[in-house]
Amino acid sequence: MDIVSDVALDLVEAQGTDDSPSLRKLDQMMLECAALDREINCFVESVEQTTARVRQEPPHAMFSLLNSVKDRFAELMDTDADIQRHSKVVAFRDNIRKSVAQVNQMAASNIEEELDEDIAVTQSQTNFTCPLTQLEMVNPVRNKKCQHYYDQEAALSMIKNKHNNKKKFRCPVVGCGNMDVKQSDLELDLVMKRRIQTHRRQSGNS
Ligand SMILES: [Zn+2]
């Protein structure tokens, strides 16, 4: 799914639009992946639920294990789930929209670009730096609650570390009131990741 997103963002940057046959095809691929993802999750859940239940039952219940899993799987798959609202599909479409807006914005500000170059450099340096490592982010994750960015690896290991010590992980951004950052709050931002990659290429060349 991440690869499909990446290819789609390449297309948007090359074409400057979110409406093309290739993009519609990629959108369709995302939906198919999401359907598969849902099937796998339903299967894992039915196995987990069945094994959890069987532990509390007499040994002869083990004989019907396979059928129990099959039944539960069928039940789970039977519930209504809107693939269109699958989190990866939503994020995919969101990223496309953001990328189109960015491409258009860049085209519009092309003329002023030279004048603003100094400001842009200062801004991007602060924006692309992880507040945990003080280094340029590699895999930027966005906190859905406070909108701050961290590098994925650093943030996840901090959260794990704090939770192992029964502590909460506070958002490290100065002045942020978010006192409890959870792993589920963090979302990989592919558009941001690409901006950092572009920035790195450009600053490497100059
Ligand atoms: Zn924050």
Side-chain angles (χ1 to χ4, degrees), residues 77-105:
M77 285 298 284
D78 206 35
T79 54
D80 264 333
D82 193 354
I83 291 298
Q84 305 278 347
R85 294 216 316 258
H86 189 286
S87 64
K88 288 263 185 179
V89 174
V90 173
F92 171 81
R93 290 176 178 165
D94 221 41
N95 278 335
I96 300 283
R97 256 195 308 277
K98 266 192 267 176
S99 185
V100 172
Q102 202 192 326
V103 168
N104 290 340
Q105 198 192 338

Side-chain angles (χ1 to χ4, degrees), residues 25-43:
K25 221 178 272 175
L26 288 168
D27 190 84
Q28 190 56 43
M29 275 174 82
M30 277 308 279
L31 287 174
E32 283 163 23
C33 289
L36 269 177
D37 185 58
R38 175 171 176 256
E39 205 175 321
I40 292 165
N41 286 335
C42 283
F43 178 70

Side-chain angles (χ1 to χ4, degrees), residues 19-205:
D19 188 33
S20 74
S22 336
L23 269 173
R24 277 195 289 276
K25 221 178 272 175
L26 288 168
D27 190 84
Q28 190 56 43
M29 275 174 82
M30 277 308 279
L31 287 174
E32 283 163 23
C33 289
L36 269 177
D37 185 58
R38 175 171 176 256
E39 205 175 321
I40 292 165
N41 286 335
C42 283
F43 178 70
V44 170
E45 205 181 319
S46 52
V47 171
E48 279 172 357
Q49 286 176 356
T50 307
T51 42
R53 190 167 47 80
V54 158
R55 277 202 198 100
Q56 280 136 47
E57 285 178 2
H60 62 79
M62 297 286 261
F63 292 115
S64 59
L65 213 54
L66 182 61
N67 281 330
S68 304
V69 172
K70 274 184 185 162
D71 291 347
R72 187 69 194 122
F73 178 67
E75 265 173 46
L76 286 171
M77 285 298 284
D78 206 35
T79 54
D80 264 333
D82 193 354
I83 291 298
Q84 305 278 347
R85 294 216 316 258
H86 189 286
S87 64
K88 288 263 185 179
V89 174
V90 173
F92 171 81
R93 290 176 178 165
D94 221 41
N95 278 335
I96 300 283
R97 256 195 308 277
K98 266 192 267 176
S99 185
V100 172
Q102 202 192 326
V103 168
N104 290 340
Q105 198 192 338
M106 266 160 70
S109 65
N110 241 355
I111 313 151
E112 303 156 49
E113 200 176 86
E114 274 181 28
L115 285 171
D116 290 341
E117 207 169 352
D118 288 342
I119 304 165
V121 167
T122 331
Q123 271 178 355
S124 59
Q125 274 168 350
T126 45
N127 287 346
F128 296 161
T129 304
C130 170
L132 291 164
T133 61
Q134 304 302 328
L135 297 169
E136 200 169 75
M137 293 181 282
V138 180
N139 286 308
V141 285
R142 188 175 57 87
N143 190 323
K144 283 185 266 184
K145 300 237 169 85
C146 62
Q147 311 300 326
H148 289 130
Y149 283 91
Y150 333 103
D151 203 21
Q152 189 172 44
E153 201 187 333
L156 292 187
S157 78
M158 276 300 271
I159 291 172
K160 209 172 144 193
N161 213 313
K162 292 279 180 187
H163 286 187
N164 284 345
N165 293 311
K166 308 236 176 301
K167 285 182 184 153
K168 287 174 180 174
F169 173 48
R170 294 175 50 165
C171 177
V173 173
V174 179
C176 180
N178 191 347
M179 303 304 237
D180 186 13
V181 181
K182 297 191 179 71
Q183 190 175 338
S184 56
D185 297 337
L186 307 182
E187 206 169 50
L188 185 67
D189 189 331
L190 281 175
V191 175
M192 179 63 124
K193 180 175 178 172
R194 295 169 65 87
R195 277 174 62 195
I196 296 172
Q197 282 168 343
T198 310
H199 169 251
R200 196 170 304 150
R201 268 198 304 276
Q202 282 168 351
S203 55
N205 290 341

